Short mmCIF file of all heavy atoms in Angstrom, two decimals:
data_model
loop_
_atom_site.label_atom_id
_atom_site.label_comp_id
_atom_site.label_asym_id
_atom_site.label_seq_id
_atom_site.Cartn_x
_atom_site.Cartn_y
_atom_site.Cartn_z
N PHE R 43 14.03 -28.81 19.17
CA PHE R 43 13.00 -29.73 18.68
C PHE R 43 13.60 -31.00 18.09
O PHE R 43 12.98 -32.05 18.13
CB PHE R 43 12.09 -29.05 17.66
CG PHE R 43 11.09 -28.11 18.28
CD1 PHE R 43 10.94 -26.83 17.78
CD2 PHE R 43 10.30 -28.51 19.33
CE1 PHE R 43 10.02 -25.96 18.34
CE2 PHE R 43 9.38 -27.66 19.91
CZ PHE R 43 9.24 -26.37 19.40
N ASN R 44 14.79 -30.94 17.52
CA ASN R 44 15.41 -32.15 16.98
C ASN R 44 15.67 -33.16 18.08
O ASN R 44 15.53 -34.37 17.87
CB ASN R 44 16.71 -31.82 16.24
CG ASN R 44 16.45 -31.05 14.97
OD1 ASN R 44 15.44 -31.25 14.31
ND2 ASN R 44 17.36 -30.16 14.63
N ASP R 45 16.05 -32.68 19.26
CA ASP R 45 16.23 -33.58 20.41
C ASP R 45 14.90 -34.26 20.75
O ASP R 45 14.87 -35.44 21.08
CB ASP R 45 16.70 -32.81 21.65
CG ASP R 45 18.08 -32.20 21.48
OD1 ASP R 45 18.87 -32.72 20.68
OD2 ASP R 45 18.35 -31.19 22.16
N LEU R 46 13.82 -33.50 20.67
CA LEU R 46 12.50 -34.02 21.01
C LEU R 46 12.13 -35.21 20.13
O LEU R 46 11.68 -36.24 20.62
CB LEU R 46 11.44 -32.93 20.90
CG LEU R 46 10.01 -33.32 21.22
CD1 LEU R 46 9.87 -33.78 22.67
CD2 LEU R 46 9.06 -32.17 20.94
N PHE R 47 12.34 -35.07 18.83
CA PHE R 47 11.97 -36.15 17.91
C PHE R 47 12.80 -37.40 18.17
O PHE R 47 12.29 -38.52 18.12
CB PHE R 47 12.10 -35.69 16.46
CG PHE R 47 11.19 -34.55 16.12
CD1 PHE R 47 11.67 -33.41 15.51
CD2 PHE R 47 9.84 -34.61 16.42
CE1 PHE R 47 10.83 -32.36 15.20
CE2 PHE R 47 8.99 -33.56 16.12
CZ PHE R 47 9.49 -32.43 15.50
N THR R 48 14.07 -37.23 18.45
CA THR R 48 14.94 -38.36 18.76
C THR R 48 14.49 -39.05 20.05
O THR R 48 14.44 -40.28 20.12
CB THR R 48 16.41 -37.89 18.90
OG1 THR R 48 16.80 -37.25 17.69
CG2 THR R 48 17.33 -39.05 19.20
N MET R 49 14.16 -38.26 21.05
CA MET R 49 13.72 -38.81 22.34
C MET R 49 12.38 -39.53 22.20
O MET R 49 12.19 -40.61 22.77
CB MET R 49 13.63 -37.71 23.39
CG MET R 49 14.96 -37.16 23.80
SD MET R 49 14.72 -35.79 24.97
CE MET R 49 16.40 -35.41 25.40
N ILE R 50 11.46 -38.95 21.47
CA ILE R 50 10.14 -39.58 21.29
C ILE R 50 10.29 -40.94 20.60
O ILE R 50 9.64 -41.91 20.97
CB ILE R 50 9.19 -38.66 20.49
CG1 ILE R 50 8.74 -37.49 21.37
CG2 ILE R 50 7.98 -39.43 19.97
CD1 ILE R 50 7.93 -36.44 20.64
N ALA R 51 11.17 -41.00 19.62
CA ALA R 51 11.36 -42.25 18.88
C ALA R 51 11.87 -43.39 19.76
O ALA R 51 11.59 -44.55 19.48
CB ALA R 51 12.33 -42.02 17.72
N SER R 52 12.59 -43.05 20.83
CA SER R 52 13.13 -44.11 21.68
C SER R 52 12.37 -44.30 22.99
O SER R 52 12.75 -45.13 23.80
CB SER R 52 14.61 -43.84 21.98
OG SER R 52 14.76 -42.63 22.66
N ALA R 53 11.28 -43.56 23.18
CA ALA R 53 10.52 -43.65 24.43
C ALA R 53 9.38 -44.66 24.34
O ALA R 53 8.71 -44.78 23.32
CB ALA R 53 9.95 -42.29 24.80
N ASP R 54 9.19 -45.38 25.44
CA ASP R 54 8.04 -46.27 25.56
C ASP R 54 6.84 -45.55 26.16
O ASP R 54 5.70 -45.87 25.86
CB ASP R 54 8.40 -47.47 26.45
CG ASP R 54 9.51 -48.31 25.86
OD1 ASP R 54 9.38 -48.71 24.68
OD2 ASP R 54 10.50 -48.56 26.56
#
Side-chain angles (χ1 to χ4, degrees):
F43 284 130
N44 292 327
D45 296 334
L46 180 63
F47 298 129
T48 302
M49 290 177 176
I50 287 173
S52 61
D54 297 308

